[in-house]
């Protein structure tokens, strides 16, 4: 009898049954079964009234349903029905294909007609939301009614990369630095004429003056807000390390301790949705858009610090250099070589928005070409640590804060693993990243999509149908952008011609 089956509801009803969708298809491991029992105990002890069951969609946006406790208890046996029509939406819910056409996605006939799928909660991700009374929160994985995992589930894509890495004898370790802006919410723009598709953006005003990087006084001006976010993140159990004042007005960076496996991506997903909800409740607007369209606002980025831990020695670092003068081990150097080789084609996964490419400018603290360096923040990859350092690792500075966490990290694991398996060696490090003769990063999402479409590595690593799906999503987004007359065009041409 599993741990889940032993739990009796508070009202005295029968234990959870031994059969059901999850058990029938073997979708939980022992740790998840044990966690399910603990979740039900927490629900009773904390007197929770509802649980939000969430799924990280193709954009890294949480979608899901709010379940009553009896229905959530049932979902721990049968999963929860869910409409996979969300899988054909762009960021503002425009269908990228005719919704009821047959054969929309090669190799995924189950999506024809847009039937219900099943969300299967992962009990190991359960949290009690501190800003919502009596409410739990749990992530889920997406399956068809046959028990087959939705091939477009990005958490599944990342999990498979981690499994391939573990087969080689390593765990992936990632520490995150995520930047974002917070502004005062002056008008949410909820008049009916503003509720379009997409809606009118909210009207906002500055939270504080900027341009005094890491100045204590700037952080103190918004101490109450930062403390509210900090307290809630600690209650969620997120491994928060620092809260930092960044360059722009109301620009903030949160950094997190290194974690293994799925945890960094799961935490990034929860972090972004938590920050937006907490700020909105307090009268602010938080945005992870890479470059808000306000004068002198600096771009925001998402840096991933990464290394490998050998499975046979959990306390070791496979990147630590052991040879005299070596900052990284041969494994770490091959990992760098893999990241460099696949950086351009993988840009759709690290930088999925049109705005994100506006970060890649010379002397901007964001990379503009495929290069690595020792302790240089202008390079795509920054090697951190002296020779023999037990904390030696690589920082990738390419990321868009709006990136899907699972795809961003999956692209790192897939590329790095390829470098290790093939024994690749990187070119020499650069001293001046913005002047080095190295291949450029894509200048636009359009160029990035073309590079991915011509690539053979990521279709092999992630699956051809998944990459084709992502290309369809991004091409649809690009077409919508190109059909829109921008403010720049209006200013440039309207009076002159």
């Amino acid at each position: 009898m599993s741990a889940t089956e032993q739990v009796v509801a508070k009202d005295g009803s029968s234990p959870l049954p031994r059969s059901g969708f999850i058990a029938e298809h073997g979708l939980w491991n022992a740790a998840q079964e044990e966690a399910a029992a603990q979740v039900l105990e927490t629900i009773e002890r904390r007197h929770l009234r509802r649980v939000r069951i969430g799924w990280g969609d193709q954009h890294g946006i949480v979608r899901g349903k709010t379940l009553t406790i009896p229905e959530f208890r049932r979902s721990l046996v049968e999963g929860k029905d869910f409409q996979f029509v969300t899988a054909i939406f762009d960021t503002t819910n425009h269908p990228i294909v005719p919704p009821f056409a047959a054969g929309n996605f090669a190799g995924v006939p189950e999506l024809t007609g847009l039937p219900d799928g099943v969300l299967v909660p992962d009990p190991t991700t359960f949290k009690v939301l501190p800003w919502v009374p009596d409410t739990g929160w749990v992530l889920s994985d997406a399956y068809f009614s046959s028990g087959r995992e939705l091939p477009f589930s990005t958490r599944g894509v990342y999990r498979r990369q981690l499994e391939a890495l573990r087969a080689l004898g390593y765990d992936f370790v990632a520490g995150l630095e995520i930047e974002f802006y917070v502004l005062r919410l002056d008008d949410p723009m909820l008049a009916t004429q503003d509720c379009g598709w997409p809606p009118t953006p909210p009207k906002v005003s500055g939270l504080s003056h900027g341009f005094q990087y890491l100045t204590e006084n700037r952080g103190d001006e918004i101490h109450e807000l930062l403390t509210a976010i900090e307290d809630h993140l600690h209650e969620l159990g997120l491994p928060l390390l620092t809260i930092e004042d960044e360059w722009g007005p109301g620009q903030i960076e949160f950094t997190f301790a290194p974690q293994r496996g799925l945890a960094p991506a799961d935490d990034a997903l929860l972090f972004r949705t938590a920050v937006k909800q907490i700020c909105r409740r307090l009268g602010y607007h938080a945005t992870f858009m890479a470059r808000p369209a306000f004068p002198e606002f600096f771009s925001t980025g998402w840096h991933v610090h990464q290394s490998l831990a050998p499975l046979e020695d959990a306390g070791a670092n496979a990147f630590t250099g052991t040879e005299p003068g070596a900052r990284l081990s041969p494994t770490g150097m091959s990992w760098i070589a893999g990241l460099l080789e696949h950086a351009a084609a993988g840009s759709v996964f690290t930088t999925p928005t049109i705005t994100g490419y506006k970060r890649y400018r010379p002397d901007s603290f964001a990379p503009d070409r495929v290069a690595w360096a020792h302790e240089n923040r202008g390079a795509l990859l920054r090697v951190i640590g002296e020779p023999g350092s037990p904390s030696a690792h690589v920082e990738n500075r390419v990321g868009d804060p709006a990136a899907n966490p699972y795809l961003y990290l999956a692209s790192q694991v897939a590329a790095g693993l390829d470098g290790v398996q093939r024994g690749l060696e990187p070119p020499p490090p650069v001293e001046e990243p913005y002047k080095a003769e190295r291949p450029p990063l894509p200048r636009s999402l359009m160029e990035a999509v073309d590079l991915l479409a011509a690539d053979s590595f990521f279709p092999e690593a992630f699956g051809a149908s998944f990459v084709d799906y992502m290309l369809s999503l991004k091409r649809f987004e690009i077409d919508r952008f190109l059909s829109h007359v921008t403010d720049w065009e209006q200013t440039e041409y309207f009076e002159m011609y």
Side-chain angles (χ1 to χ4, degrees):
M1 180 178 293
S2 72
T4 301
E5 294 157 6
Q6 298 174 42
V7 177
V8 179
K10 186 177 181 179
D11 60 9
S13 58
S14 300
L16 295 177
R18 300 184 181 186
S19 61
F21 182 83
I22 295 173
E24 177 184 350
H25 297 288
L27 302 181
W28 278 354
N29 57 31
Q32 289 170 311
E33 291 205 356
E34 181 179 353
Q38 296 170 353
V39 166
L40 290 177
E41 189 278 328
T42 298
I43 286 173
E44 295 184 10
R45 176 170 46 82
R46 298 286 294 270
H47 305 292
L48 301 186
R49 299 178 57 191
R50 65 195 69 83
V51 175
R52 296 179 181 179
I53 178 172
W55 174 60
D57 76 358
Q58 56 274 20
H59 308 290
I61 297 169
V62 179
R63 299 183 188 268
K65 297 184 176 184
T66 299
L67 310 185
T68 63
I69 297 306
E71 183 63 9
F72 176 67
R73 186 181 294 116
R74 195 186 77 83
S75 78
L76 296 177
V77 177
E78 298 290 352
K80 181 58 186 173
D81 60 284
F82 190 72
Q83 249 290 6
F84 283 161
V85 67
T86 57
I88 70 167
F89 289 160
D90 71 358
T91 50
T92 49
N93 281 19
H94 290 82
I96 67 169
V97 293
F100 298 103
N104 278 330
F105 302 106
V108 193
E110 295 97 328
L111 282 177
T112 299
L114 301 176
D116 279 355
V118 182
L119 294 185
V120 172
D122 181 346
T124 65
T125 68
F126 184 83
K127 311 284 185 183
V128 177
L129 296 181
W131 63 90
V132 189
D134 309 323
T135 301
W137 186 92
V138 69
L139 276 174
S140 61
D141 292 299
Y143 295 87
F144 293 119
S145 59
S146 65
R148 179 192 179 199
E149 186 173 23
L150 174 68
F152 302 152
S153 177
T154 57
R155 193 172 191 246
V157 170
Y158 181 40
R159 184 190 300 108
R160 287 188 287 276
Q161 301 311 308
L162 294 173
E163 290 169 352
L165 182 62
R166 288 181 65 85
L168 201 65
Y170 297 106
D171 259 344
F172 182 58
V173 182
L176 312 182
E177 297 180 356
I178 306 179
E179 299 169 351
F180 59 102
Y181 275 97
V182 178
L183 301 111
R184 296 186 188 278
L185 183 61
D186 297 328
D187 186 348
M189 304 299 288
L190 296 179
T192 53
Q193 63 268 26
D194 296 315
C195 297
W197 194 17
T200 303
K203 288 184 178 179
V204 296
S205 57
L207 184 62
S208 65
H209 291 142
F211 320 117
Q212 295 190 21
Y213 178 53
L214 296 179
T215 303
E216 181 181 349
N217 289 346
R218 289 287 184 251
D220 186 69
E221 290 173 14
I222 56 174
H223 173 77
E224 287 78 11
L225 171 62
L226 295 179
T227 298
I229 298 173
E230 176 190 3
D231 289 346
H232 289 320
L233 296 184
H234 281 310
E235 289 185 66
L236 289 172
L238 300 188
L240 181 63
L241 289 180
T242 68
I243 302 167
E244 303 177 14
D245 170 58
E246 280 289 329
W247 289 96
Q251 189 181 29
I252 304 161
E253 180 180 71
F254 279 45
T255 71
F256 298 87
Q259 297 226 85
R260 298 187 180 198
L262 284 170
D266 287 346
D267 286 354
L269 194 76
L270 176 55
F271 167 70
R272 287 197 311 212
T273 196
V275 166
K276 290 188 73 71
Q277 291 179 29
I278 294 164
C279 287
R280 182 66 176 239
R281 285 169 172 259
L282 296 174
Y284 301 95
H285 175 70
T287 180
F288 292 86
M289 180 182 180
R291 192 176 180 88
F294 300 116
E296 304 296 337
F297 270 48
F298 284 80
S299 297
T300 54
W302 175 3
H303 307 155
V304 173
H305 296 253
Q306 51 195 281
S307 63
L308 298 180
L311 292 178
E312 70 274 9
D313 187 352
N317 179 358
F319 280 12
T320 296
T322 57
E323 297 298 320
R327 291 174 180 262
L328 291 183
S329 66
T331 297
M333 295 299 287
S334 291
W335 188 270
I336 283 180
L339 294 182
L340 294 174
E341 176 154 319
H342 301 297
S347 293
V348 169
F349 307 119
T350 64
T351 311
T353 68
I354 285 175
T355 313
Y357 292 85
K358 294 177 170 61
R359 295 177 54 239
Y360 302 159
R361 302 166 64 183
D363 298 317
S364 65
F365 286 85
D368 71 344
R369 62 200 69 195
V370 181
W372 73 282
H374 295 133
E375 289 287 5
N376 193 314
R377 285 181 165 82
L380 169 72
L381 302 179
R382 171 185 172 223
V383 172
I384 301 172
E386 296 299 319
S389 171
S391 61
H393 66 278
V394 177
E395 177 191 22
N396 192 329
R397 299 177 60 81
V398 76
D400 181 342
N404 181 309
Y406 302 110
L407 296 183
Y408 187 177
L409 298 189
S411 72
Q412 303 300 283
V413 175
L417 178 59
D418 184 55
V420 172
Q421 288 178 315
R422 294 165 57 197
L424 298 181
E425 295 183 6
V430 301
E431 292 186 359
E432 296 184 85
Y434 296 111
K435 295 182 180 180
E437 293 185 2
R438 293 288 190 270
L441 286 168
R443 295 292 303 276
S444 67
L445 181 60
M446 300 74 161
E447 185 180 343
V449 163
D450 289 343
L451 288 170
L452 180 60
D455 182 63
S456 60
F457 171 73
F458 282 107
E460 178 72 21
F462 290 176
S465 63
F466 178 80
V467 171
D468 286 344
Y469 166 67
M470 291 302 301
L471 291 172
S472 296
L473 277 171
K474 294 293 110 179
R475 284 171 174 152
F476 186 86
E477 186 175 339
I478 289 168
D479 288 345
R480 284 185 54 227
F481 171 75
L482 292 177
S483 68
H484 173 70
V485 178
T486 66
D487 293 343
W488 185 93
E489 293 167 281
Q490 185 75 3
T491 302
E492 188 79 4
Y493 305 131
F494 184 65
E495 191 273 338
M496 182 61 68
Y497 290 105

